[in-house]
């Protein structure tokens, strides 16, 4: 008789079979039993289905844990014509993402006060297709509000060490950074930082016109290096928990590795576009590739992959930062900086990872397990009993060419347009309900989630 682990009376309602199930112990054939939205057991692939359970057999497809994307700009309310909760979360589901955390800027108002967090949640409630949580923001005038925001359930606090690009979210100067970090450390919060040094940026040549080389020169790697060095020095002195966002400059990797070895509580992420796109291939005027920090050269990309392989980099998340088509004018000085990739992160990363000899287990670790750990999402990020029944079903060998019109993002602008990718997301499951693929739930079933010890 098959034994189903879980709460008493939790007879499985759903059984998913696949020959490649990505578990913390490796990839193997298995059947995954689900009851009440949770994984109750990992069974042999040929285990008989329990009485009354719905069985779905995905054959040779890979069953990954639902991805956790901790770096998404949804812009709703206020700039919902750039991206709104329904479109962003539908795109997430189509890309195998089951949980995302929304960044505190580009919406109006930004998430820098408890009442504005409530505004953001009100805009999202009942309109999300995946689970959604929120980061708070640390800006010069809101230090007294950081603890109340933490108590209201944000997952941490984003700050900018250089201009953010929107006036309602100012940067922190060195003294303000120290004050915010001290406050956040006082309640064991997490500070996440856009780390570019404003003085190094100001000293760089200003970009003018359509040449990508000019834009790249305006955002030198030295600006990231200097800002990360300042962040880590302060974190070491204060005993703070910090996270480096969207690392682009591989020259900063030794700083992070040394800080980790010295016991500094630092983690770091990079993004699909830094791992899959290179400066050498970006045409002049193609501002769909503009982001800050920028996409750098192929040699830099090789070093980022090495940083992932050796554990210096922890996570791969999208930094989905969309805008309307008209803001992507063919001038790198004037165009909005941000890359839309929420729906495409998994196939983009898998395409490049497979070519470099990495496994599906590596991709799951970088895009599900590590981001869940970063945010303290203890029920997300892995296929094992007790976790939420969140799954991405990937056909790893299938190929497709990116058609912007086929994406669920609100605006059909993406740096991946026309790019051949390997790996098709066949279905996505959120707590045992299919939210993308055949038989998808007809209404949004995502939840608004809050930081807690058992989130």
């Amino acid at each position: 008789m098959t034994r189903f682990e879980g709460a008493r009376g939790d007879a499985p309602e759903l059984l998913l079979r696949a020959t490649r199930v990505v578990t913390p112990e490796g990839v193997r054939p298995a059947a995954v039993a689900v009851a009440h939205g949770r994984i109750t057991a990992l069974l042999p692939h040929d285990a008989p289905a329990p009485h009354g359970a719905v069985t779905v057999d995905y054959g040779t497809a890979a069953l990954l844990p639902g991805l956790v994307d901790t770096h998404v700009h949804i812009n709703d309310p206020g700039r919902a014509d750039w991206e709104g909760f329904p479109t962003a979360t539908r795109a997430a589901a189509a890309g195998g993402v089951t949980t995302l955390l929304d960044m505190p800027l580009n919406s109006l108002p930004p998430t820098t006060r408890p009442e504005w967090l409530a505004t953001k949640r009100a805009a999202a409630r009942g309109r999300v297709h995946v689970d959604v949580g929120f980061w708070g923001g640390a800006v010069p005038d809101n230090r007294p509000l950081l603890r109340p925001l933490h108590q209201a359930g944000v997952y941490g606090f984003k700050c900018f060490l250089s201009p953010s690009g929107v006036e309602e979210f100012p940067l922190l100067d060195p003294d303000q950074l120290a004050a915010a970090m001290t406050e956040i450390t006082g309640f064991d919060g997490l500070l996440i930082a856009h780390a570019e040094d404003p003085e190094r940026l100001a000293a760089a040549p200003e970009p003018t016109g359509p040449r990508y080389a000019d834009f790249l020169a305006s955002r030198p790697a030295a600006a990231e290096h200097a800002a990360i060095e300042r962040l880590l020095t302060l974190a070491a002195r204060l005993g703070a928990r910090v996270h480096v966002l969207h690392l682009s400059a591989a020259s900063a990797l030794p700083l992070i590795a040394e800080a980790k070895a010295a016991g500094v509580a630092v983690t770091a992420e990079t993004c699909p576009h830094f791992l899959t796109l290179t400066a050498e291939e970006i045409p002049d005027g193609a501002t769909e590739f503009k982001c800050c920090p920028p996409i750098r050269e192929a040699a830099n990309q090789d070093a980022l992959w090495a940083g992932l392989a050796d554990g210096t980099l922890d996570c791969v998340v999208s930094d989905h930062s969309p805008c309307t088509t008209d803001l992507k004018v063919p001038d790198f000085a004037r165009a909005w900086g941000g890359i839309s990739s929420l729906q495409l992160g998994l196939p983009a990363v898998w395409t490049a990872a497979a070519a470099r000899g990495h496994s599906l287990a590596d991709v799951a670790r970088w895009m599900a397990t590590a981001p869940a750990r970063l945010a303290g999402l203890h029920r997300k990020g892995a296929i094992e009993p007790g976790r939420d029944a969140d799954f991405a079903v990937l056909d790893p060998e299938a190929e497709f060419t990116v058609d912007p019109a086929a994406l669920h993002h609100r605006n059909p602008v993406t740096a991946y347009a026309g790019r051949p990718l390997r790996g098709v997301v066949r279905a996505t499951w959120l707590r045992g309900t299919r939210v993308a693929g055949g038989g998808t739930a007809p209404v949004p079933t995502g939840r608004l989630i809050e930081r807690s010890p058992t989130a």
Side-chain angles (χ1 to χ4, degrees):
M1 179 180 293
T2 300
R3 179 175 178 266
F4 296 100
E5 297 179 358
R8 183 176 298 175
D10 276 359
E13 305 155 349
L14 175 68
L15 196 71
L16 301 183
R17 298 186 201 273
T19 60
R20 289 179 282 187
V21 177
V22 182
T23 76
E25 291 75 36
V27 181
R28 59 185 174 91
V32 184
V34 174
H36 307 301
R38 298 283 183 90
I39 299 168
T40 58
L42 268 66
L43 307 169
H45 181 262
D46 58 357
H51 178 71
V54 174
T55 301
V56 182
D57 192 333
Y58 283 112
T60 59
L63 193 66
L64 281 72
L67 303 192
V68 178
D69 193 338
T70 53
H71 197 147
V72 180
H73 295 267
I74 294 182
N75 312 330
D76 191 358
R79 294 188 176 102
D81 55 333
W82 293 18
E83 189 73 278
F85 283 106
T87 50
T89 57
R90 192 177 294 116
V97 176
T98 52
T99 306
L100 63 82
L101 297 189
D102 176 61
M103 282 293 169
L105 74 159
N106 297 346
S107 60
L108 295 170
T111 317
T112 54
R113 305 177 65 88
E115 61 268 32
W116 292 348
L117 172 63
T119 299
K120 172 75 81 166
R121 285 177 172 154
R125 192 166 292 114
R127 303 173 70 222
V128 296
H129 296 269
V130 300
D131 287 355
V132 175
F134 301 94
W135 295 108
V139 294
D141 64 353
N142 80 331
R143 182 181 176 185
L145 302 175
L146 298 176
R147 186 181 292 270
L149 275 166
H150 178 77
Q151 292 169 340
V154 299
Y155 285 85
F157 300 89
K158 180 176 186 177
C159 70
F160 274 76
L161 307 187
S162 59
S164 72
V166 291
E167 62 182 13
E168 66 273 7
F169 204 98
L171 63 84
L172 297 180
D173 66 27
D175 290 340
Q176 293 163 343
L177 174 64
M181 193 181 291
T182 299
E183 179 71 15
I184 293 166
T185 303
F187 50 76
D188 193 31
L190 174 66
L191 180 71
I192 65 175
H194 178 123
E196 290 181 284
D197 180 74
E199 293 182 2
R200 301 295 180 99
L201 294 178
E206 292 189 12
T208 56
R211 279 175 37 91
Y212 186 74
D214 293 342
F215 171 67
L216 183 59
S218 76
R219 315 293 297 208
E224 284 189 79
H225 193 284
I228 290 170
E229 187 171 34
R230 181 184 308 123
L231 182 76
L232 296 177
T233 299
L234 189 58
R237 178 164 65 84
L238 296 176
R241 293 195 299 132
V242 296
H243 178 71
V244 178
L245 296 167
H246 46 44
L247 183 76
S248 159
S251 61
L253 288 170
L255 292 175
I256 297 169
E258 290 166 11
K260 287 186 172 187
V264 179
V266 58
T267 50
E269 69 186 40
T270 192
C271 303
H273 42 277
F274 299 139
L275 297 171
T276 62
L277 308 173
T278 62
E280 291 90 339
E281 67 186 289
I282 298 176
D284 291 342
T287 55
E288 62 270 25
F289 291 88
K290 179 182 177 180
C291 58
C292 301
I295 296 166
R296 303 191 187 276
E297 300 85 354
N300 181 85
Q301 183 182 94
D302 291 341
L304 291 178
W305 278 103
L308 272 174
D310 68 20
T312 303
L313 289 170
D314 301 272
C315 311
V316 180
V317 292
S318 70
D319 190 12
H320 178 67
S321 185
C323 66
T324 53
T325 305
D326 61 294
L327 295 180
K328 284 292 190 180
V329 296
D331 180 336
F332 279 97
R334 297 188 296 115
W336 174 258
I339 290 182
S340 296
S341 63
L342 182 56
Q343 186 171 335
L344 298 170
L346 178 53
V349 172
W350 171 240
T351 300
R356 291 173 180 266
H358 295 290
S359 67
L360 288 169
D362 293 329
V363 172
R365 184 174 68 256
W366 299 328
M367 303 187 77
T369 308
R373 184 182 304 118
L374 169 71
L377 295 166
H378 308 297
R379 295 202 298 264
K380 306 289 187 180
I383 298 178
E384 61 183 1
R387 303 268 187 161
D388 285 353
D390 297 351
F391 310 106
V393 183
L394 182 73
D395 186 340
E397 287 75 41
E399 299 180 353
F400 70 103
T401 299
V402 176
D403 176 6
L407 301 177
H408 294 288
H409 308 152
R410 174 151 291 180
N411 294 282
V413 180
T414 177
Y416 293 95
R419 194 175 186 89
L421 296 178
R422 182 183 180 196
V424 173
V425 177
R426 298 298 187 193
T428 303
W429 295 77
L430 175 66
R431 292 187 310 279
T433 296
R434 192 158 27 198
V435 293
T440 300
V443 296
T445 58
R447 297 176 182 172
L448 303 187
I449 57 176
E450 301 178 8
R451 178 203 48 78
S452 74
T454 58

